[in-house]
């Protein structure tokens, strides 16, 4: 007979398996499904375990079905994804400094009052 400690450990593994059902990769989802099986074989599920594991499985199935139906097409799926570089910063007008509310002069990207800059250095 399997002891309650092992049954609880297998339940913990089964819950981890339910979380793996949400993964993007199908091989990880299959592993998640297999992690649920030992707990089901070890002892009958209690009503609470059925609710917890069952709701997780239903949510994972919904996530997979909804994701496959409404996921945006990526570049590997035939969607045309064009990346455009960001526009150059407009320094033709004075700008307000977000750090000290001072004024960043025309042609500059650094606040003379506090030294804050909106460009990476």
């Amino acid at each position: 007979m399997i002891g309650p400690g092992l049954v609880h450990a297998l339940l913990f593994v089964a819950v981890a398996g339910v979380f793996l059902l949400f993964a993007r990769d199908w091989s990880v989802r299959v592993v998640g499904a297999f992690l649920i099986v030992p707990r089901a074989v070890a002892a009958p599920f209690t009503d609470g375990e059925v609710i917890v594991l069952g709701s997780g499985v239903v949510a994972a199935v919904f996530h997979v079905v909804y994701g496959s139906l409404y996921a945006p097409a990526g570049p590997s799926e035939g969607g045309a994804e064009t990346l455009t570089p960001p526009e150059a910063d407009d320094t033709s007008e004075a700008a307000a400094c977000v750090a000290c509310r001072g004024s960043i002069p025309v042609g500059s990207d650094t606040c003379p009052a506090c030294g804050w800059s909106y460009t990476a250095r």
Side-chain angles (χ1 to χ4, degrees), residues 89 97-100 104 108-112 114-121:
D89 294 323
C97 175
V98 297
C100 71
I104 299 175
S108 177
D109 61 3
T110 305
C111 176
C114 68
W116 181 86
S117 176
Y118 54 85
T119 58
R121 294 187 184 240

Side-chain angles (χ1 to χ4, degrees), residues 14-98:
V15 170
V18 170
F19 284 116
L20 291 178
L21 295 177
F22 288 91
R24 290 184 181 207
D25 187 19
W26 280 98
S27 61
V28 175
R29 291 179 187 165
V30 170
V31 169
F34 280 119
L35 287 177
I36 298 169
V37 173
R39 175 58 182 90
V41 173
F45 286 119
T46 64
D47 291 340
E49 292 171 352
V50 169
I51 291 171
V52 169
L53 293 175
S55 62
V57 169
V58 168
V61 168
F62 178 76
H63 172 73
V64 169
V65 170
Y66 182 82
S68 66
L69 291 176
Y70 298 105
S76 63
E77 298 171 359
E81 189 173 317
T82 57
L83 300 176
T84 57
E87 295 179 14
D89 294 323
D90 182 15
T91 58
S92 63
E93 296 180 11
C97 175
V98 297

